[in-house]
Amino acid sequence: MNQSETPPDTTGGVSPPQGRDILLEVVGTARKCTGYGMCHLSFLPGGACPPGKQHKFASYFPQGRMELATAVVDGHLPVTEGLVDIVRSCRLCDICDRQCYFLTGLRPLTVMRALSDFVEEHLAAGRPVLAPEPDPLVDELAAVVGEEWVSADQAILAGYARVRAPGTPRTPPRCVAMPATAQQVAAVLKVARAHGVPVRPRGNGTSAGGALTDGVLLDCSRLRELTVDERTFSARIGAGITGLDLQRAAHRHGLRAQTAEPAACVCANILNTNLHSLYSHSYGVGPDNVIDVEFATPDGEVIGLDDPRVARLLTYRPGVTPQENLPGVCTGMTVKLHPVPADEDVLVVPFASHDEAVAAAKDLCARRIGAAVGMVGTWYAASFLSPTHTDALAAEKVLRDTLGIEYVLIVVGDPFALDAVRSRWDVALDAATMRMLTLGLPNLRDDSALEFLEETAGDGPLYREVFRPELRAVLTMALHPSPEALTRSVDEDMKAFFTELYARPEMSDIRWLTTFRTTSARIGRDRAFLSRIVWMPLEPDLISALAEDFSAIGRRHGLHHGFGYLVPIDLGARCVLEFDYYFDHTDPAESAAAVRAQAEADVVQAGYQARRPEIVTGPQLAMQGLSRPESYLYRR
Amino acid sequence: MASTPRTVLLTGGTGFLGSFLAAGLLERGVHVAFLARNGQERSAQQRVHDVLRWHGHADADLATGCTVLAGDLAEPRFGLADGDYADVARDCTEVWHCASETTFSVRKRELLERVNVAGTEQVLQFARDSRAEMVNYIGTAYSVGRAVGECAETLEPRTQFHNPYEETKHRAEMLLAHGCEEDGLPFLVYRPSIIAGDHLTGRTLLYNGLYYPLRMLDYFRRQVLRDCEEGDGSNARALGARVTGDGRVELPVRLPVRREGGTGLNIVAVDWVRDACLRLREGGEPGTVHNLVNDTAMSLDDLSTAIRDVLGIDGVELSAAADADAPAVSPLDAQFRSRVQVYLPYMGDQRVFRRDRSRAVLGDLLPPPVDLGYLERCLKVALADEWTSPLP
């Protein structure tokens, strides 16, 4: 049975006005959710959504509940048994409020309360509650995964119906199945094939393109195998293991994994994006870290890299579709883990010039200095460090306009590596200085010290003056760093939590944040973003020209936009560049502008690729992320 | 004696000296057309009204006594609509060009060029386009640059300057004077020295320029107090500073000022500068330059007493400028000294400003002395204002 897009009659003709009004009041908040998926993770003290962890379907998580509120208001979702269960499972415990506020500034608890009020009003009025229609496909899938782990309830389906990419139509699946083993995945594929129904696997739904289907949505969340082998420096991971899961596990063993977004499932991340991070400088990209990969096939098999159908995925094949290329659903991987020196630390080197920063990244990579090297734009840096959007805007202003910092180079390395960095650049901020800056930046922007320095400093960017060792005591007094200082703009009822949170050393530890990336999502705090990921030669002029062309498009369409980051790879010969367009995804005009901007940027990019065929883009690597870089970066 | 103007175009009227001039002109029944920028949060109109209210003008006065033109000094025709520009050009019979960027920062050269030089070019053009019978230009005594010894009230080209502020003010003065001469436009140039608060009240609108060294001292006082009261005082100790009593600190700093020879800091009160300008406008010979400077230097003992008694700071030593190269007496002194480098030419000034011409016109209108009482008034106002402009 296919789900109709016609809004169903939710109440038999008469809506409970009060409940619906309450939902209308909060739907603005609900719509603002960008589906980044961090609410699935225990990344803050207090853990993650308890019913989400228990039931695992996306709709049980805060992100899913926000989607439910929107779907009800938009007439896509009637009151179903699933909706009642989901809403009643919510304990209104405010974990989601803290998590979401930490990253986006949103307060989802109001949505949870409103959903609860709406459903209870509906029930009290004796209005109908719908059950899923019988479906033989669902029955067969239940026999494979268990009744608890398959559903065709519209409330469950609603959690998988939309993705972040603008202009993508809402597409609820026919049903959602959540197998726990590779064998169960294979069996699900076999059943679906017998019914002639497509299957789309999904990790955490964090990619912009997402995973939509009108067939079987295969949620990999229960594929949770995670075993670290210290002896072989490796980890066996199921397809449901996120970047944060893996990194934490590695960390407990004194090791580090190559991961990217913490909320992204690692297998999906590699498969879909090739996976890169600031550690790509030394760890390479995703496939460089893959020891083995497991697929479940529609024939019911579970195969690995020793099977030619999997082995061929290591070679980039332009123009081939995922259906043609992939032998089935990836159910797990064995990945490398990397030793971490006990004396490893971090330096942050500010730059006023794009070309100087790019040249520095290239040089460090070519000389194999450090474990992580990444060039990050000021907006990114300000966002990562700031607990609110207002703080981020103010921080960016101080960093860029006052101190003259356009980019920073983050270098994680051992003392030898960091000594080499210090010998090259006279301003290199150590961990202690970065902690001070993180916890005191809101004070610094109000402090007269900067004004005095601006008035009396010589030519050149002001950061050269501010970060001189002789000014350390003055800077410390001006920053007057403390968790209280950093969190002064936070909502009053959140202050106690945030102050305690930022008293934890890791929250202002750049090395920790670079590894665990728990603040990455903040760049999308004000607006959703579309990333343009480009693998290209590490040539400053080429990068600058491409970024400027992208910027011109952003300006033309009235979109916020900017350089995100650059990570050098391949001993400095190449890099991975991210450039972002930001847009209000709740505004149809801005969403349409984002779509047009992307289309124009695609054309511009194609022009660059015609001249320089070694340039490769994100969409080209989609679902071919296991390709060895040699097979796509070195094409003639 | 020139006739009383019907309408005056005033630039810089929302600034410190400019607002005093505006108030003075309004009190004399002159209609003032303010050329002002829209601010980030307040419109040009609001900014003008804010500053005139600070001067005690009621809103009713503002409605009739002045016009506000929201524009940009450095843009052609001030960025005004053609009709607005033509109207003010038709009505204006006098120009007071007071707008100026006064930062000493070498980092702001572009801004200084734009406001001080390009802005003056536009004012000159306006004077040509209007019915102006007099162009009054507020320069600075320091446009003589790196001159040494007596500096007369004359127009002469200079090539050596201490900073881009002096240079751009000199170039602006020369281009305006030459431009007026070529077009037969009467002009007067006023060159005040360092302008500080009203001599009776100490009130000021700006805490920049030579207020900075004193601001910095007070800033360090507050930082040291906080570091010792809320922290462990380690940062204060690292700088060589300490708390000496209730709200008092010892800052081992040497402020280099000249003791023997030279004029030291030449400070004039803003209200005297206003009165002097308006009297010179009536009695000054067109085409002349007037130094508005103090006849007596500030007493260094008075400054030392004010720092100690009003700011609550011990340990500040006023040394000879020649000592500027001597080793620092503390890490704080080293930092402080690097910050006050830009002000050294004014503290240990070797320029001696003659004001024979202006004295002849001003007669008994003498510059108030910069004595301990005046310093105390200025510093108390600064502390009450927390060294921030009292305007919104």
Side-chain angles (χ1 to χ4, degrees):
Chain A
M1 180 189 73
N2 291 323
Q3 296 296 329
S4 167
E5 282 297 282
T6 304
D9 176 5
T10 65
T11 61
V14 179
S15 303
Q18 187 172 357
R20 185 72 60 125
D21 286 347
I22 291 172
L23 269 181
L24 287 175
E25 282 175 19
V26 301
V27 75
T29 297
R31 289 193 200 284
K32 282 194 172 296
C33 174
T34 55
Y36 210 77
M38 286 292 284
C39 55
H40 294 230
L41 311 180
S42 298
F43 69 96
L44 292 180
C49 174
K53 286 196 302 187
Q54 179 188 351
H55 296 280
K56 297 192 180 1
F57 287 106
S59 296
Y60 279 89
F61 285 100
Q63 163 202 353
R65 295 164 193 271
M66 302 277 253
E67 187 57 44
L68 296 181
T70 304
V72 168
V73 168
D74 290 346
H76 295 304
L77 179 63
V79 177
T80 68
E81 291 174 345
L83 181 63
V84 173
D85 189 62
I86 291 166
V87 167
R88 283 185 164 172
S89 71
C90 177
R91 306 170 197 178
L92 299 176
C93 63
D94 86 6
I95 286 176
C96 58
D97 238 30
R98 292 174 179 177
Q99 287 188 324
C100 204
Y101 185 79
F102 177 85
L103 290 172
T104 70
L106 291 176
R107 304 296 297 263
L109 201 57
T110 55
V111 177
M112 311 311 168
R113 285 201 186 99
L115 258 179
S116 175
D117 290 346
F118 168 71
V119 164
E120 295 305 329
E121 279 248 350
H122 184 94
L123 295 175
R127 294 192 179 90
V129 175
L130 303 186
E133 295 283 337
D135 186 343
L137 171 65
V138 171
D139 294 339
E140 285 188 49
L141 292 174
V144 174
V145 300
E147 279 189 18
E148 187 187 354
W149 301 111
V150 64
S151 177
D153 189 289
Q154 292 183 61
I156 297 294
L157 306 183
Y160 300 92
R162 291 202 307 144
V163 294
R164 291 195 285 125
T168 311
R170 186 174 185 274
T171 311
R174 177 167 167 176
C175 63
V176 179
M178 206 179 291
T181 66
Q183 290 70 23
Q184 285 187 6
V185 172
V188 166
L189 293 175
K190 205 168 175 185
V191 166
R193 188 170 65 175
H195 282 260
V197 174
V199 176
R200 186 70 190 268
R202 181 186 189 271
N204 225 1
T206 56
S207 71
L212 293 177
T213 182
D214 59 2
V216 177
L217 194 296
L218 196 155
D219 188 328
C220 297
S221 298
R222 292 180 68 216
L223 296 166
R224 298 281 305 164
E225 182 182 359
L226 176 51
T227 313
V228 171
D229 186 341
E230 282 186 30
R231 186 180 59 82
T232 61
F233 291 91
S234 65
R236 164 89 192 136
I237 58 172
I241 294 298
T242 65
L244 188 63
D245 292 330
L246 176 57
Q247 202 63 268
R248 275 191 174 141
H251 183 70
R252 282 193 288 272
H253 293 269
L255 301 168
R256 183 185 287 127
Q258 170 64 312
T259 60
E261 294 306 320
C265 289
V266 178
C267 295
N269 205 348
I270 293 174
L271 202 57
N272 205 29
T273 73
N274 201 236
L275 199 156
H276 57 273
S277 77
L278 269 62
Y279 288 94
S280 287
H281 156 65
S282 55
Y283 299 168
V285 293
D288 295 319
N289 291 266
V290 171
I291 298 167
D292 198 359
V293 58
E294 179 185 87
F295 277 84
T297 75
D299 292 328
E301 299 171 280
V302 177
I303 57 177
L305 207 48
D306 54 350
D307 188 301
R309 290 171 288 175
V310 178
R312 75 176 182 201
L313 298 176
L314 299 177
T315 303
Y316 180 66
R317 298 162 69 199
V320 70
T321 66
Q323 291 79 7
E324 292 164 344
N325 202 35
L326 297 175
V329 170
C330 177
T331 52
M333 292 186 183
T334 304
V335 295
K336 288 184 194 173
L337 298 178
H338 305 275
V340 179
D343 55 0
E344 189 183 76
D345 210 327
V346 66
L347 285 177
V348 176
V349 185
F351 287 91
S353 143
H354 169 273
D355 286 0
E356 283 179 17
V358 170
K362 184 182 179 82
D363 197 47
L364 289 176
C365 192
R367 295 174 189 273
R368 305 179 192 245
I369 294 174
V373 172
M375 173 183 163
V376 171
T378 312
W379 172 240
Y380 267 44
S383 297
F384 295 157
L385 298 180
S386 301
T388 71
H389 181 60
T390 308
D391 285 327
L393 289 172
E396 188 193 24
K397 199 169 181 339
V398 169
L399 292 173
R400 175 179 287 155
D401 298 348
T402 305
L403 296 180
I405 300 174
E406 292 284 347
Y407 304 92
V408 294
L409 203 66
I410 300 173
V411 184
V412 175
D414 61 26
F416 303 102
L418 299 189
D419 280 347
V421 173
R422 286 193 193 89
S423 70
R424 294 289 303 279
W425 295 284
D426 51 2
V427 181
L429 311 180
D430 61 15
T433 304
M434 285 307 303
R435 169 167 285 118
M436 206 167 64
L437 200 60
T438 301
L439 296 179
L441 201 55
N443 282 340
L444 182 64
R445 66 185 191 233
D446 295 337
D447 197 274
S448 300
L450 284 186
E451 190 185 339
F452 297 146
L453 286 168
E454 262 195 303
E455 183 67 14
T456 58
D459 259 331
L462 197 64
Y463 72 79
R464 293 194 165 283
E465 197 69 27
V466 167
F467 294 119
R468 283 168 49 207
E470 311 88 83
L471 275 173
R472 179 62 174 229
V474 175
L475 183 64
T476 307
M477 290 198 292
L479 285 167
H480 195 51
S482 70
E484 289 78 6
L486 177 62
T487 59
R488 67 185 199 187
S489 302
V490 162
D491 283 358
E492 209 52 51
D493 62 332
M494 287 280 181
K495 270 202 169 73
F497 173 75
F498 269 70
T499 303
E500 200 177 313
L501 177 66
Y502 274 98
R504 292 171 166 238
E506 65 268 22
M507 295 308 299
S508 52
D509 180 341
I510 299 299
R511 187 173 74 106
W512 191 93
L513 292 170
T514 299
T515 302
F516 290 92
R517 307 266 303 262
T518 54
T519 59
S520 288
R522 282 177 170 173
I523 59 167
R525 183 162 29 196
D526 179 55
R527 278 174 158 72
F529 58 97
L530 290 174
S531 307
R532 301 197 66 84
I533 312 285
V534 186
W535 286 254
M536 61 190 298
L538 215 176
E539 297 171 12
D541 289 348
L542 183 65
I543 294 164
S544 188
L546 182 63
E548 178 44 40
D549 284 345
F550 284 161
S551 288
I553 293 170
R555 286 192 295 270
R556 211 155 42 242
H557 292 280
L559 296 172
H560 293 253
H561 57 272
F563 176 97
Y565 63 79
L566 177 152
V567 296
I569 59 173
D570 227 12
L571 288 177
R574 292 174 175 81
C575 67
V576 187
L577 167 75
E578 174 165 333
F579 188 96
D580 303 299
Y581 291 119
Y582 298 88
F583 66 105
D584 180 354
H585 65 284
T586 67
D587 180 341
E590 237 179 270
S591 295
V595 171
R596 288 193 299 272
Q598 283 284 67
E600 275 187 40
D602 287 344
V603 171
V604 162
Q605 197 168 262
Y608 276 81
Q609 287 180 288
R611 295 188 294 279
R612 302 292 297 269
E614 62 268 38
I615 295 176
V616 177
T617 67
Q620 286 177 285
L621 283 181
M623 304 313 288
Q624 292 211 51
L626 277 168
S627 306
R628 294 165 58 245
E630 289 74 12
S631 68
Y632 61 83
L633 291 179
Y634 286 81
R635 289 182 303 143
R636 291 180 176 278
Chain B
M1 183 179 294
S3 59
T4 304
R6 285 181 289 125
T7 296
V8 159
L9 177 82
L10 172 66
T11 74
T14 58
F16 182 30
L17 174 61
S19 71
F20 273 80
L21 278 170
L25 289 166
L26 287 171
E27 282 158 17
R28 286 161 172 74
V30 175
H31 187 92
V32 178
F34 289 81
L35 177 67
R37 285 173 297 116
N38 286 318
Q40 282 193 341
E41 292 175 17
R42 295 185 78 70
S43 68
Q45 178 102 359
Q46 286 171 320
R47 294 177 68 229
V48 167
H49 285 196
D50 288 340
V51 78
L52 291 181
R53 279 192 209 100
W54 185 81
H55 280 280
H57 282 267
D59 287 353
D61 299 341
L62 307 180
T64 55
C66 65
T67 307
V68 179
L69 302 162
D72 186 328
L73 178 71
E75 291 295 316
R77 304 163 82 82
F78 303 137
L80 299 173
D82 289 347
D84 292 339
Y85 184 84
D87 286 346
V88 68
R90 180 196 62 228
D91 294 338
C92 170
T93 58
E94 184 158 338
V95 175
W96 282 88
H97 178 33
C98 193
S100 176
E101 180 54 55
T102 57
T103 177
F104 291 166
S105 172
V106 297
R107 310 161 56 75
K108 296 187 179 171
R109 172 175 276 282
E110 202 177 311
L111 179 63
L112 287 159
E113 292 274 353
R114 185 174 192 276
V115 175
N116 296 351
V117 181
T120 300
E121 286 170 345
Q122 296 306 324
V123 168
L124 179 60
Q125 184 57 49
F126 174 81
R128 293 174 181 132
D129 295 337
S130 71
R131 298 192 294 128
E133 297 166 354
M134 177 61 73
V135 179
N136 301 279
Y137 174 66
I138 306 295
T140 174
Y142 304 102
S143 59
V144 296
R146 289 184 181 269
V148 175
E150 292 200 341
C151 302
E153 293 166 296
T154 53
L155 286 167
E156 28 182 306
R158 305 282 181 177
T159 57
Q160 303 289 321
F161 304 93
H162 293 103
N163 51 57
Y165 167 69
E166 291 183 353
E167 181 201 328
T168 54
K169 290 297 287 182
H170 171 71
R171 283 166 49 203
E173 183 181 286
M174 297 303 282
L175 78 87
L176 184 124
H178 289 148
C180 287
E181 281 170 353
E182 283 170 6
D183 294 320
L185 282 167
F187 69 92
L188 284 164
V189 176
Y190 312 87
R191 291 181 181 166
S193 57
I194 300 164
I195 305 177
D198 180 282
H199 89 279
L200 286 176
T201 64
R203 294 173 85 214
T204 182
L205 283 174
L206 279 182
Y207 290 101
N208 64 348
L210 270 299
Y211 274 98
Y212 269 130
L214 298 170
R215 264 182 82 180
M216 277 193 263
L217 285 174
D218 187 56
Y219 170 82
F220 281 119
R221 179 187 69 88
R222 286 181 281 112
Q223 294 288 40
V224 166
L225 282 173
R226 185 173 68 183
D227 192 59
C228 293
E229 287 165 5
E230 296 179 17
D232 61 4
S234 56
N235 295 299
R237 282 193 298 278
L239 292 172
R242 65 189 185 101
V243 174
T244 55
D246 187 19
R248 298 190 66 84
V249 301
E250 180 179 303
L251 302 180
V253 162
R254 286 192 304 177
L255 206 53
V257 292
R258 184 167 294 279
R259 284 188 179 274
E260 296 175 14
T263 58
L265 279 168
N266 192 300
I267 296 174
V268 284
V270 65
D271 52 313
W272 177 79
V273 175
R274 171 204 58 204
D275 294 341
C277 285
L278 293 176
R279 188 178 290 193
L280 285 165
R281 166 63 185 89
E282 300 301 321
E285 183 186 339
T288 57
V289 177
H290 300 272
N291 282 341
L292 301 181
V293 300
N294 214 309
D295 297 323
T296 54
M298 178 186 64
S299 156
L300 297 179
D301 287 337
D302 285 345
L303 179 60
S304 188
T305 302
I307 290 171
R308 190 188 65 231
D309 293 349
V310 181
L311 295 184
I313 298 172
D314 300 312
V316 176
E317 185 188 319
L318 301 181
S319 68
D323 290 344
D325 295 327
V329 297
S330 70
L332 177 63
D333 184 39
Q335 284 312 310
F336 194 81
R337 204 179 300 179
S338 69
R339 299 280 77 82
V340 300
Q341 283 289 322
V342 293
Y343 306 114
L344 286 185
Y346 308 94
M347 294 182 179
D349 214 322
Q350 300 180 64
R351 293 167 284 201
V352 181
F353 300 107
R354 305 285 307 183
R355 70 175 198 98
D356 309 284
R357 178 175 288 126
S358 64
R359 183 181 291 111
V361 177
L362 294 176
D364 61 351
L365 183 61
L366 300 174
V370 178
D371 56 18
L372 179 59
Y374 176 64
L375 288 172
E376 287 179 341
R377 286 190 293 277
C378 287
L379 285 178
K380 284 177 180 170
V381 168
L383 290 174
D385 283 346
E386 297 181 344
W387 305 90
T388 305
S389 173
L391 297 180

